[in-house]
Amino acid sequence: MWYWLFKYIFMGPLLSLLGRPKIEGLEHVPHDGPAILASNHLAVADSFYLPLVVRRRITFLAKAEYFTGTGIKGWFTRWFYTVAGQVPIDRTDADSAQSALNTAARILDQNKLLGMYPEGTRSPDGRLYKGKTGLARLALESGVPVIPVAMIGTDVVNPPGSKMWRFGRVQVRFGKPMDFSRFEGLAGNRFIERAVIDEVMYELMRLSGQEYVDIYAASLKEGAGPEPTPAPGSRLPESAAG
C-alpha cells in the first residue's frame, strides 16, 4: 500500500513537477510476467523516476548500507527504501554477489519486474561504463526478457553529491525486449555472459547517447588504474553488436 501512496500521492506529483518526465517506448514493458529492466545509472533519482513512469511495481536490488543505519534517521531510511520497493543486498564479496543473484531470481520467479543497474554503481561523470556480468547470468538462467532503459536528465534534477533537487527535464526511453534464448544452457560461460552484457550496454549507449568507457565505474571511483580516454564516438567491443 505504501508503495502506491508514495507513487501517486506523496512523491509522484513532486517528481512530475521537478522533472516533467518524457516517456518513450513504454509499450515495450510487459503488462504481466517477469522481466529485467536494465538501466543506466546517473543519480539516485533513477530509482524514483523509473517506477513513476511504469504502471507495474518494480523491485530494485539496493546496497545493504541503506538498511543498516541506526537511530531515527536509520529507521526512516530503512522504512523509506523498503516501501519504495527496494531489497537489500550485500556487495562485499563473491559469496554475497551470488546471494544477490539468488534474491533476484526469487523476485523473477514471483513474476515481478526487477530493476537492475548493470554498471553496478552510479556513473561518476555522466558517461556509460562497462557492465557487470551478473545481469547476464541472471537473464540466461531465468530466460526472462531484458528491457534496456535509458535515464536522461536525472543527474540534472538530482545532481550527484548534492542534497538539493532542481527543476529539469527527465527522459525515460525503453528499448525493445532483448531475447537471449539463443544462449540457453550457457549460463556460467564467462565469454557468453560478457557477450550478453556487452549487447545490453550497446543498447543503453544507443538509447541514452552516452559516451562509453570500457572500465568499471567502481574501479574509477576507487582510483584503480588510469582512466582510458576513448575517442569521440567510441563504441563497445564488436561482441556488443550481437
Side-chain angles (χ1 to χ4, degrees):
M1 180 185 71
W2 280 110
Y3 180 92
W4 303 110
L5 287 175
F6 266 94
K7 179 173 180 176
Y8 292 114
I9 304 298
F10 301 129
M11 295 290 293
L14 177 60
L15 291 171
S16 296
L17 177 64
L18 286 172
R20 298 174 296 138
K22 178 182 179 182
I23 313 164
E24 298 178 21
L26 186 58
E27 68 275 8
H28 296 312
V29 179
H31 295 295
D32 52 43
I36 299 171
L37 299 180
S39 174
N40 63 332
H41 199 12
L42 297 173
V44 171
D46 298 328
S47 297
F48 296 98
Y49 277 101
L50 183 51
L52 178 67
V53 303
V54 174
R55 297 181 183 90
R56 294 177 60 189
R57 178 168 181 160
I58 303 173
T59 300
F60 288 91
L61 301 181
K63 59 183 180 180
E65 290 85 343
Y66 290 149
F67 299 82
T68 57
T70 58
I72 295 177
K73 181 180 179 181
W75 175 88
F76 178 80
T77 301
R78 182 166 56 254
W79 174 80
F80 179 80
Y81 279 99
T82 299
V83 300
Q86 306 208 20
V87 175
I89 58 167
D90 183 359
R91 306 183 301 178
T92 55
D93 53 35
D95 289 340
S96 60
Q98 184 57 52
S99 177
L101 289 178
N102 293 341
T103 299
R106 287 197 298 271
I107 292 169
L108 294 173
D109 285 342
Q110 296 168 4
N111 290 321
K112 295 180 178 180
L113 290 179
L114 175 67
M116 295 187 72
Y117 299 114
E119 292 169 276
T121 186
R122 281 173 284 165
S123 171
D125 54 17
R127 295 185 291 179
L128 185 69
Y129 283 80
K130 187 175 183 179
K132 296 190 174 183
T133 57
L135 185 149
R137 176 169 298 193
L138 182 62
L140 294 174
E141 290 179 344
S142 65
V144 307
V146 176
I147 302 168
V149 187
M151 307 297 295
I152 302 170
T154 50
D155 54 341
V156 175
V157 173
N158 172 214
S162 173
K163 296 182 180 180
M164 299 297 295
W165 287 45
R166 305 170 183 174
F167 289 99
R169 188 63 188 269
V170 171
Q171 296 183 58
V172 187
R173 295 177 179 168
F174 297 89
K176 295 180 181 180
M178 304 178 73
D179 176 14
F180 296 107
S181 59
R182 65 188 184 278
F183 297 126
E184 183 178 0
L186 294 176
N189 183 310
R190 63 188 182 92
F191 298 106
I192 296 298
E193 290 177 354
R194 173 49 55 191
V196 167
I197 196 61
D198 280 351
E199 190 171 337
V200 172
M201 301 312 291
Y202 179 87
E203 282 301 301
L204 289 179
M205 182 182 70
R206 186 183 65 81
L207 288 167
S208 68
Q210 291 171 279
E211 179 183 356
Y212 178 76
V213 183
D214 194 30
I215 62 171
Y216 294 117
S219 298
L220 180 59
K221 288 182 176 181
E222 295 166 0
E227 176 187 356
T229 305
S234 60
R235 299 174 66 87
L236 284 163
E238 288 299 319
S239 60

